Amino acid sequence: MNYINPIIIELLNKRGISEDAEIEEFLSDKPQKTYDPFLLPDLEAGVDLLLEAIRDRKRICIYGDYDADGITSVSILMEFLGILTDQLQYYIPSRFDEGYGLNAEAVRKIRERGTDVLVTVDCGSVSYEEVELAKELGMKVLVTDHHSITDVRADCLLINPKRPESSYPFRELAGCGVAFKLLQGIQKKAGVPKKILNRALDLVALGTIADVVPLLDENRTLVKHGMHIISSGLRPGLSALIEGISFKRENLRSDQIAFGVAPHLNAAGRMGDAKVAAGLMLEKDQSTIQSQVSQLIDFNKQRKKTQEEAYQLCAQLIDEHLKDRKFLVVYAEDVHEGIAGIVAGKLKDKYERPTILVTPSGEHLKGTGRSVNGVNLYQVLKSHEELFFRFGGHEGACGFSMKRDKLETLEALLEQDMKRMLDEDPELFSRLIRADLSLPVEKVTLELAQELELLAPFGSKNPKPLFLLENIRAARLQPMGADGKHMRFFAVSQDGKSVECVLFNRAEDFKQMLYGEASINLIGSVDFQEWRGNKRVQFNVESVV
């Protein structure tokens, strides 16, 4: 291996990566960790089904979710299969009228359009009744998905690395990753040029980052190669969106996808129609592309405004009525259900409690929950699933539908659950941020910031490394933002070395320590700012201790 900064090696060792070959693979610009698609259960049969349908000119419908993972999954299949057949269409349900996953009304509609083969992406594993209906109506069904299977599962070809009997080496693919593995199988059997297959990796990278799956193992390979394709600008719609929100595709980073690009795709399904986002990923005409980009930017502006109004309303409800609750169940009549999940997440962060936001949905109620570390929301809600008529999710996020008269019962049971968990672990809610390494101020350099990019892409299970700066004082403090909730300052060590720091959102929390006389410790990440081609190092503060 070439020279690698010992700090990088130490960070990798702390993350369980110590062998030379592992380190080389992790840091490689073109990693090779990927697996035979035919190891996935039912993949070969699914490939045969689609190739036979294409040969016989059967009509195929791709059915996907309305979030960024679902949108990219639909787009991946539409683009690739569109090279092999013109008997192709897609369907993305409405978040408001239909909700997540397969639904009976949509299945009937799709059949009425003449569909012979129904292929799901990013959903369908537990849609037993809807799949049975599709089969009764005369359709063949292929489910591709990545969600956990804990209930009765669909009785059809089912490609999902999380199937209990699956021997696939990596279980954490996003929905778009599973869709891509299906296309890998088709490419191998049909002899499609590999460059056409790899063309889809930009969408795989986008959907994988957006869905917050671990950026390790095969996901890391898919994302790294996909980021190269994004930077090359091969997809005009995606390039136009990146430019439209003032990013540069040539040096786009995973956090810019997670907090910039992906929210614009998600905003289509939250505030309008997800098909606008899917259409943009597939469009070639420049005038249409500009119109779609404008729509997504407008959707995202609406989303932000609506989200902030809902957040303030819910925070007021909590402060006035729920401050002593250990599990926050917030009922809000007027919250737009398209942003309920984001608001639940922000409330969870503010109050450091598991939070469920409940909104009216016709005659019933719809709940969207987000959880803190250490509380498996899926397990907690699963133990009360008799209260729901629809329920699903995972450890950190869940959703359900229920009758109105069950809400009080749910609130009481969740409060009991949380009190019991806190009795067992009183530190459950303590938001303790731990540093990976201690670092002298003089080692916080632009060179280190750039070398740390070797560990990117950052995301779930591969976060940006956090460093501890000890015994420093804050100097030249400069509040930022209209309400002063951000702070820029310099961290000065005992021997006079200094580095520029920025603290976002929590200036008020740490104001007394920053302005005090005593030495303080900082925990944060080493990053750099770039302006007109000039770069300078910056320490992004997460906590003051």
Side-chain angles (χ1 to χ4, degrees):
M1 290 189 298
N2 295 326
Y3 171 79
I4 302 170
N5 189 321
I7 292 173
I8 303 291
I9 298 293
E10 190 171 354
L11 288 167
L12 287 172
N13 290 344
K14 281 178 169 287
R15 297 183 182 192
I17 300 165
S18 55
E19 299 292 330
D20 284 354
E22 288 180 315
I23 291 171
E24 190 171 352
E25 167 71 12
F26 195 90
L27 300 181
S28 171
D29 193 41
K30 294 182 178 178
Q32 301 300 312
K33 188 168 276 191
T34 186
Y35 307 105
D36 181 355
F38 294 108
L39 293 174
L40 280 161
D42 285 347
L43 190 133
E44 186 161 14
V47 167
D48 291 341
L49 170 66
L50 287 176
L51 289 178
E52 182 183 350
I54 289 166
R55 187 186 65 238
D56 296 341
R57 293 192 56 76
K58 299 289 188 184
R59 299 201 70 183
I60 301 168
C61 180
I62 314 299
Y63 186 109
D65 189 20
Y66 40 67
D67 69 358
D69 188 16
I71 288 164
T72 53
S73 300
V74 166
S75 304
I76 287 165
L77 261 62
M78 287 296 295
E79 182 173 70
F80 186 89
L81 296 180
I83 295 167
L84 304 176
T85 179
D86 59 0
Q87 301 296 302
L88 195 61
Q89 59 182 321
Y90 70 91
Y91 188 99
I92 300 177
S94 162
R95 176 189 291 269
F96 314 106
D97 302 327
E98 298 170 276
Y100 169 76
L102 279 172
N103 68 86
E105 186 178 341
V107 169
R108 290 191 179 92
K109 259 190 237 177
I110 289 166
R111 179 55 176 159
E112 286 167 7
R113 293 177 182 176
T115 297
D116 301 298
V117 179
L118 176 61
V119 182
T120 77
V121 288
D122 193 31
C123 64
S125 288
V126 296
S127 299
Y128 176 82
E129 293 179 3
E130 291 81 6
V131 167
E132 291 304 298
L133 173 61
K135 293 192 297 189
E136 288 168 16
L137 293 173
M139 289 186 282
K140 292 182 178 178
V141 183
L142 169 61
V143 166
T144 75
D145 194 10
H146 71 122
H147 292 96
S148 298
I149 304 173
T150 56
D151 299 296
V152 60
R153 75 185 191 198
D155 183 16
C156 62
L157 294 177
L158 172 55
I159 303 170
N160 185 334
K162 289 195 176 82
R163 277 177 58 167
E165 73 279 19
S166 173
S167 60
Y168 195 72
F170 183 61
R171 293 174 58 84
E172 301 299 335
L173 292 168
C176 58
V178 179
F180 182 76
K181 301 306 290 187
L182 173 63
L183 297 190
Q184 274 189 326
I186 293 172
Q187 182 267 327
K188 288 175 183 291
K189 278 212 166 187
V192 177
K194 200 166 184 181
K195 66 179 182 181
I196 294 176
L197 171 71
N198 291 341
R199 176 72 183 75
L201 281 168
D202 58 344
L203 295 180
V204 179
L206 174 51
T208 298
I209 292 169
D211 216 51
V212 202
V213 292
L215 292 185
L216 300 171
D217 207 286
E218 188 168 24
N219 283 342
R220 188 172 176 81
T221 298
L222 295 171
V223 168
K224 274 201 169 185
H225 286 278
M227 296 286 277
H228 291 311
I229 296 175
I230 291 173
S231 69
S232 71
L234 285 177
R235 188 172 304 277
L238 181 54
S239 296
L241 177 60
I242 292 167
E243 182 181 338
I245 57 179
S246 302
F247 290 151
K248 293 188 180 301
R249 58 174 169 74
E250 295 85 358
N251 52 12
L252 193 71
R253 302 197 300 194
S254 56
D255 59 338
Q256 293 173 317
I257 289 179
F259 301 110
V261 181
H264 281 81
L265 297 189
N266 282 324
R270 294 184 189 283
M271 308 306 296
D273 190 340
K275 289 191 276 294
V276 176
L280 176 63
M281 296 301 100
L282 298 167
E283 187 57 62
K284 301 289 191 294
D285 178 73
Q286 280 299 328
S287 61
T288 306
I289 283 171
Q290 291 308 317
S291 172
Q292 290 167 327
V293 168
S294 295
Q295 278 185 280
L296 292 187
I297 291 172
D298 286 345
F299 282 145
N300 199 49
K301 286 176 180 173
Q302 292 173 38
R303 187 269 303 173
K304 284 183 175 179
K305 181 175 183 293
T306 307
Q307 174 187 314
E308 183 59 26
E309 290 170 351
Y311 172 73
Q312 295 298 339
L313 168 67
C314 292
Q316 184 179 346
L317 288 172
I318 292 169
D319 290 340
E320 291 178 358
H321 305 292
L322 305 171
K323 205 65 182 277
D324 297 328
R325 296 286 178 89
K326 306 303 180 190
F327 196 122
L328 298 173
V329 180
V330 186
Y331 176 73
E333 283 277 355
D334 299 320
V335 168
H336 191 292
E337 66 180 73
I339 47 84
I342 307 176
V343 174
K346 284 174 65 69
L347 295 170
K348 175 264 296 183
D349 291 339
K350 176 178 172 64
Y351 295 99
E352 298 175 31
R353 303 280 186 276
T355 303
I356 293 174
L357 183 51
V358 181
T359 56
S361 181
E363 297 178 0
H364 302 115
L365 299 176
K366 183 177 282 189
T368 303
R370 298 292 183 269
S371 194
V372 296
N373 288 334
V375 178
N376 187 320
L377 187 60
Y378 184 85
Q379 287 182 358
V380 172
L381 291 177
K382 178 82 174 163
S383 66
H384 307 302
E385 67 177 333
E386 72 281 355
L387 298 174
F388 315 126
F389 56 82
R390 288 192 82 174
F391 164 66
H394 52 79
E395 181 176 343
C398 284
F400 58 79
S401 297
M402 68 188 303
K403 293 182 178 177
R404 288 174 179 264
D405 61 4
K406 306 286 188 185
L407 182 59
E408 278 189 34
T409 302
L410 178 66
E411 288 181 277
L413 289 170
L414 293 177
E415 193 68 9
Q416 288 174 20
D417 290 339
M418 205 48 49
K419 285 178 178 174
R420 185 181 67 253
M421 292 174 74
L422 283 165
D423 285 342
E424 294 169 1
D425 180 7
E427 300 299 311
L428 190 59
F429 289 163
S430 63
R431 187 165 72 179
L432 186 62
I433 297 175
R434 299 184 186 277
D436 295 281
L437 291 176
S438 179
L439 203 63
V441 168
E442 63 268 23
K443 289 284 186 74
V444 183
T445 63
L446 179 60
E447 289 72 25
L448 175 61
Q450 292 175 311
E451 287 175 313
L452 287 168
E453 284 299 303
L454 289 170
L455 301 175
F458 298 114
S460 174
K461 306 298 183 186
N462 185 45
K464 276 192 173 183
L466 294 178
F467 298 95
L468 174 66
L469 305 185
E470 296 182 273
N471 296 320
I472 67 99
R473 60 183 176 82
R476 294 159 60 186
L477 289 101
Q478 180 184 347
M480 300 188 300
D483 50 5
K485 67 179 181 179
H486 316 304
M487 184 76 75
R488 187 176 293 279
F489 62 96
F490 280 79
V492 183
S493 65
Q494 301 289 328
D495 58 1
K497 300 289 194 302
S498 67
V499 64
E500 188 172 2
C501 300
V502 64
L503 169 65
F504 291 109
N505 297 316
R506 302 190 67 194
E508 192 60 38
D509 294 348
F510 299 122
K511 187 175 182 179
Q512 190 171 351
M513 296 173 75
L514 289 170
Y515 282 97
E517 295 296 322
S519 293
I520 56 176
N521 300 329
L522 303 178
I523 295 175
S525 59
V526 177
D527 206 341
F528 59 86
Q529 286 291 312
E530 187 168 1
W531 175 248
R532 293 181 176 174
N534 296 314
K535 295 179 181 178
R536 71 172 192 267
V537 69
Q538 176 176 283
F539 192 78
N540 293 335
V541 179
E542 296 288 334
S543 185
V544 183
V545 292

